[in-house]
Amino acid sequence: MKTIIRKYIVPIVCSAMLIVTVSSCSKDKYYKDGGLANPNFNGTMLQYLQSKPQFDTIAQIVKLAGMEDVFSKENITFFAPTDEVIRRTIGLVNSTDQYLAFGLNEMLFTLHKDTIKQLSDIPGPIWKKYLMRYMFKGSYYLKDYPQLDFNLRPLYPGGYYYGYNGSDLSNIGVVFYTANTVKYSGYRQLCITSVTDPSNPSYFYGGAAAVASSDIHPTNGVVHTLAVWYPGASDPKSNPNTTGELRMNETMMDQFGMSFDFSDEVILSR
């Protein structure tokens, strides 16, 4: 009788327990994380941008900049600004929207210059110059970047990287958040800052542009999607994803090129 129990009944009971355990884990993981995301995209980086509504304008800019081959064939890492960044950078004349009221078009109107009506009104070389601030040769995932602590920069400064054109310098790092009062034990968030003065690389306009989603993997590189500034973004009470470690800067996040240089150059070109 004992032999029969060991041979037949015990395996059945164990199998049933295993199924229940796996099922519970799967449900629990889905409940906590909202399902497993697939970071891989079966297509080029340009195809990825074209397939996502939030990058429709960026995909057009890639073409205006004459960089389709780069985004289709070369191995690059791209910190992708969304279309909202372009919308806010260009802005509207006499807008009541605080994010559109003081954009490029308002400045052009004030200076009695023609405003921007379509993306092609801006010369391709200007688009290219500032698009390259977001591009880096090679594939770099979140795990490849060093830690950045804005409160302890001498110890955790992040890393300094030259952009695709070999001249624009950026500071890129991973912020380790506090969890349950334990420093550096929480989730990790990638951020990027354009260093406009290489002689003083620690000056970043007081903050950085945060990455909303990282490690998206098309066939020819890596895409990190940048977040858009919104009210209370740096206030932990209104944004549970920020507990004070990451210093975000509205200029870095809302202006194409991560500074006002882009708008200044467009104005001078008109």
Side-chain angles (χ1 to χ4, degrees):
M1 184 67 179
K2 291 182 179 179
T3 302
I4 294 174
I5 292 174
R6 285 197 300 268
K7 187 173 181 179
Y8 298 104
I9 298 178
V10 171
I12 292 172
V13 173
C14 290
S15 297
M17 292 176 64
L18 180 61
I19 291 171
V20 171
T21 302
V22 172
S23 177
S24 298
C25 289
S26 298
K27 290 180 180 178
D28 190 50
K29 182 176 290 187
Y30 181 83
Y31 175 75
K32 289 183 178 179
D33 298 331
L36 297 176
N38 181 7
N40 298 313
F41 178 79
N42 187 24
T44 67
M45 191 173 295
L46 181 57
Q47 290 171 333
Y48 172 77
L49 297 176
Q50 291 170 334
S51 72
K52 302 298 179 182
Q54 69 267 34
F55 295 126
D56 178 68
T57 301
I58 298 299
Q60 293 180 55
I61 289 170
V62 169
K63 291 185 177 182
L64 289 171
M67 303 195 76
E68 299 102 313
D69 281 351
V70 175
F71 278 78
S72 298
K73 299 176 181 178
E74 294 189 23
N75 181 24
I76 61 172
T77 297
F78 183 45
F79 286 78
T82 63
D83 292 355
E84 180 64 15
V85 170
I86 306 302
R87 192 173 80 98
R88 294 183 181 189
T89 299
I90 295 176
L92 295 173
V93 176
N94 296 325
S95 175
T96 57
D97 186 326
Q98 63 173 320
Y99 295 113
L100 302 177
F102 304 103
L104 172 59
N105 271 339
E106 186 71 39
M107 291 186 284
L108 288 168
F109 181 78
T110 301
L111 294 169
H112 306 291
K113 294 177 178 286
D114 290 338
T115 56
I116 305 301
K117 296 179 177 61
Q118 54 189 6
L119 296 175
S120 58
D121 289 341
I122 296 174
I126 295 180
W127 283 125
K128 181 178 181 179
K129 176 180 177 179
Y130 291 94
L131 186 66
M132 287 192 291
R133 284 192 177 178
Y134 299 94
M135 300 164 55
F136 301 84
K137 294 182 179 181
S139 293
Y140 296 95
Y141 297 86
L142 182 147
K143 66 179 179 60
D144 298 318
Y145 292 104
Q147 183 176 353
L148 172 61
D149 187 329
F150 284 93
N151 298 313
L152 291 172
R153 289 287 306 284
L155 292 178
Y156 302 109
Y160 292 94
Y161 303 86
Y162 281 104
Y164 184 86
N165 63 1
S167 58
D168 288 325
L169 184 66
S170 294
N171 179 266
I172 306 173
V174 181
V175 174
F176 289 37
Y177 282 81
T178 298
N180 298 321
T181 71
V182 180
K183 193 172 178 62
Y184 302 146
S185 65
Y187 74 94
R188 301 177 182 186
Q189 187 169 23
L190 189 61
C191 64
I192 179 173
T193 304
S194 176
V195 179
T196 55
D197 183 4
S199 66
N200 185 18
S202 62
Y203 176 66
F204 311 154
Y205 286 123
V211 169
S213 60
S214 59
D215 294 0
I216 303 162
H217 183 41
T219 55
N220 64 310
V222 181
V223 177
H224 304 294
T225 303
L226 294 178
V228 177
W229 180 271
Y230 56 94
S234 59
D235 180 1
K237 293 181 181 178
S238 60
N239 179 11
N241 293 326
T242 303
T243 53
E245 287 92 342
L246 177 58
R247 296 181 187 173
M248 292 184 282
N249 182 281
E250 188 172 359
T251 299
M252 290 290 178
M253 298 175 74
D254 277 2
Q255 292 292 316
F256 183 67
M258 295 182 282
S259 74
F260 292 111
D261 297 349
F262 171 80
S263 295
D264 291 344
E265 191 159 342
V266 173
I267 290 171
L268 290 173
S269 73
R270 297 184 77 74

